[in-house]
Amino acid sequence: MNSLVRGFVLRAEEGRMVKPADLPVYDDQEDARYELASREPGILQENIRLGRESIGLVADQISEVGEKIDYVYETGKAHSQGAYNQLLEEDNLPARIGVIAGGGAVGLLIGALRGRFFKRLLYTGVGAGIGGAICYPEEATQVSNQAYSEIRKKALIAYNFVNGDGTE
């Protein structure tokens, strides 16, 4: 704006009139040049840079370990699912017998550590039952639903008997 006013004043001093077409639309300015003064980083900046780079390296290593763990987990999951599907096949009776017997043996070991004959028998039955439920999941669901309904009926009968209700 200053250059516009100066141009107008100079032309007015020369005695001639300034036409609107002669007025510049924009100020004539020199192109501004900027330079960034280079400086060496200070001690604090250098330490922050080193810490940031170290944290980046640690984060990269953690992500690599996480990927390896995820790979091992997914591989184990796929192998376990394959083994379980193979166990559920109809033709694989010896493997099913082995799982049920193994569950019973684990129950027997736990029962032997826990107590006498009754606990050994109970834990062996529970272990074999868990093995059977793993090998025959549909049948185990049916049996558990039937057992739940029968136990519920018997519990209601016992409750009514204890309370003295005549209805059964």
Side-chain angles (χ1 to χ4, degrees):
M1 188 73 178
N2 289 336
S3 64
L4 181 65
V5 173
R6 262 186 302 201
F8 183 67
V9 169
L10 288 175
R11 289 185 185 146
E13 288 176 358
E14 293 175 0
R16 60 184 185 144
M17 294 292 285
V18 178
K19 295 180 186 175
D22 292 339
L23 292 174
V25 178
Y26 298 105
D27 292 339
D28 295 332
Q29 293 182 359
E30 295 181 19
D31 291 336
R33 294 185 61 208
Y34 299 100
E35 284 188 28
L36 181 62
S38 61
R39 301 186 331 199
E40 291 295 319
I43 295 173
L44 181 62
Q45 290 174 333
E46 190 67 29
N47 287 336
I48 289 175
R49 182 184 63 84
L50 288 174
R52 184 175 39 86
E53 289 174 354
S54 299
I55 289 173
L57 291 174
V58 169
D60 291 342
Q61 290 175 350
I62 288 174
S63 68
E64 287 178 12
V65 168
E67 289 173 2
K68 288 180 182 177
I69 290 173
D70 188 44
Y71 175 75
V72 168
Y73 171 75
E74 291 298 327
T75 303
K77 185 177 171 184
H79 286 252
S80 298
Q81 189 64 37
Y84 183 67
N85 289 338
Q86 187 178 13
L87 180 67
L88 293 181
E89 291 177 2
E90 290 294 326
D91 300 337
N92 210 355
L93 185 63
R96 288 181 179 192
I97 292 172
V99 169
I100 295 170
V106 168
L108 180 63
L109 288 173
I110 292 172
L113 295 174
R114 293 283 188 164
R116 299 258 184 222
F117 178 75
F118 182 71
K119 283 192 178 181
R120 288 181 195 160
L121 187 64
L122 177 70
Y123 284 120
T124 303
V126 169
I130 290 173
I134 289 172
C135 292
Y136 299 99
E138 293 89 16
E139 290 84 354
T141 303
Q142 290 174 353
V143 168
S144 66
N145 288 339
Q146 288 174 354
Y148 174 75
S149 65
E150 288 297 319
I151 289 172
R152 187 168 186 274
K153 285 180 192 175
K154 301 299 180 192
L156 283 174
I157 291 171
Y159 175 77
N160 291 332
F161 181 74
V162 169
N163 284 336
D165 291 343
T167 60
E168 290 184 12

